[in-house]
Amino acid sequence: YAISKDQLSPNLLRDIDDYLRFLAGDDLIEGLSKPLRPRSIEAIKGNLMRYLGALHHSDVDVSSIQSLEEMVRFETFRIALEWLWNRFDHKPSQGIADIAWSIRCIAVKHLECDEQTAELFSNLLAKVRPPRQGLSKKNRASMQQFDDDAVVKRLLHITDKLWALAQKETARKKASLLAQSAVALDILTFAPMRIKNLQHLRIDRHLGWSNKRLRISIPPEEVKNSEYLDYLLPLSTSARIADYTDNWRCLFYPKNNPHLFPGSKGRPKDESALRKQISKTLLKHTGIRLTPHQFRHATAKILLDEKPGHYEVVRKVLGHKNITTTYEHYAGAESQSAIELFDNVILDIKGGKNTK
């Protein structure tokens, strides 16, 4: 159902070619810093043509579309996905998901649409994407770095390091960002929530105190899976966040901004900016490549490596609705630790030790 280039306007074709060259890293100044492989670019190109084909079969005059921006408007996106949804018998499909993902990348990442529109794209993508069992290959590969105890220690000590650097730094903006990164990483370590919940944390709504310990409470209606989140943080972490709130947060924007990570005009810090800040800071100071969402996987792996089989603890910490989700994601994450535990029990019995 893909259409030929002859049916498209020269302006749109030029925009598409420019975008594909951007993905290939052909443009020295504006090209992607980590170019995609030719095979990936060909797949994206095919997805764009199939998307335009879906619009064509939905009676949209594709020859009138003059730019990428017109092509990926959300209303246009929805028309194409409705046609594809009908074609695939109203069932989630990886084929539809791949097309939707390619278009979403243009709208959200390349053209940088607003957060509300980005959420609309994400919600529709989630509906057409088939459920996935367990972690993706990319996430599994990322978790392998935590098989090294030294890497785990670097991860768990990074907040202390960043806080110390912030205290010594003389440049105000750099010091403030270091302190903010330390607090964000502290929360992700002891309260591994999703990035959107982290971004929208409000001092007047989500933060409370109990015997000098900070409690973060997020109501179900603000959580992706409608599960109530409640975290009581350690004393040291609580003290650091209190210091940040009183002495550092106001260096970004006025105190009347209620967000823990404030942005302009009373809004929270941009999600993309916060995500990049966390990942780049972590890579620079530890050499660890990890996204904020992968922090959830990392903390689960670290716990299960120390306490094999403790899936219910992981479920509660991550806020999963049921133990099945937790088990599907992390079964096997602690395989080596479980094997070592098994070996030690057998060796103890073999040596005559009483293991009961």
Side-chain angles (χ1 to χ4, degrees), residues 191-253:
M193 62 189 66
R194 296 175 179 86
I195 183 65
K196 187 167 289 294
N197 290 125
L198 180 71
Q199 173 206 10
H200 284 91
L201 284 177
R202 290 175 59 119
I203 295 172
D204 60 346
R205 181 184 300 169
H206 305 113
L207 274 59
W209 294 90
S210 177
N211 295 324
K212 297 183 178 180
R213 294 177 67 182
L214 178 65
R215 181 182 294 277
I216 299 177
S217 302
I218 305 176
E221 60 270 19
E222 297 180 24
V223 182
K224 181 180 178 182
N225 65 347
S226 300
E227 283 290 292
Y228 176 70
L229 299 180
D230 183 55
Y231 302 99
L232 188 61
L233 304 186
L235 282 170
S236 58
T237 299
S238 300
R240 179 145 54 211
I241 296 176
D243 189 351
Y244 163 79
T245 303
D246 294 338
N247 303 310
W248 295 86
R249 191 181 68 93
C250 60
L251 299 179
F252 292 94
Y253 289 98

Side-chain angles (χ1 to χ4, degrees), residues 163-316:
W163 195 254
L165 289 172
Q167 305 288 338
K168 297 177 183 178
E169 180 58 54
T170 56
R172 172 176 162 173
K173 182 177 180 181
K174 187 175 180 181
S176 301
L177 287 171
L178 285 167
Q180 187 178 75
S181 296
V183 167
L185 288 165
D186 250 339
I187 293 174
L188 287 175
T189 300
F190 292 103
M193 62 189 66
R194 296 175 179 86
I195 183 65
K196 187 167 289 294
N197 290 125
L198 180 71
Q199 173 206 10
H200 284 91
L201 284 177
R202 290 175 59 119
I203 295 172
D204 60 346
R205 181 184 300 169
H206 305 113
L207 274 59
W209 294 90
S210 177
N211 295 324
K212 297 183 178 180
R213 294 177 67 182
L214 178 65
R215 181 182 294 277
I216 299 177
S217 302
I218 305 176
E221 60 270 19
E222 297 180 24
V223 182
K224 181 180 178 182
N225 65 347
S226 300
E227 283 290 292
Y228 176 70
L229 299 180
D230 183 55
Y231 302 99
L232 188 61
L233 304 186
L235 282 170
S236 58
T237 299
S238 300
R240 179 145 54 211
I241 296 176
D243 189 351
Y244 163 79
T245 303
D246 294 338
N247 303 310
W248 295 86
R249 191 181 68 93
C250 60
L251 299 179
F252 292 94
Y253 289 98
K255 283 189 175 182
N256 60 6
N257 185 316
H259 296 91
L260 187 62
F261 305 109
S264 62
K265 300 179 181 179
R267 297 191 295 255
K269 189 166 191 170
D270 177 74
E271 180 183 324
S272 178
L274 183 60
R275 181 188 293 110
K276 290 177 181 178
Q277 177 183 333
I278 292 170
S279 296
K280 287 183 177 180
T281 301
L282 193 61
L283 180 61
K284 178 180 179 180
H285 293 278
T286 67
I288 298 172
R289 294 185 181 276
L290 203 67
T291 66
H293 189 76
Q294 287 173 332
F295 241 93
R296 291 166 58 81
H297 306 321
T299 52
K301 175 176 171 53
I302 291 169
L303 172 63
L304 290 171
D305 278 346
E306 290 296 315
K307 302 289 183 180
H310 281 55
Y311 293 104
E312 178 60 20
V313 177
V314 175
R315 185 193 72 78
K316 290 181 178 179

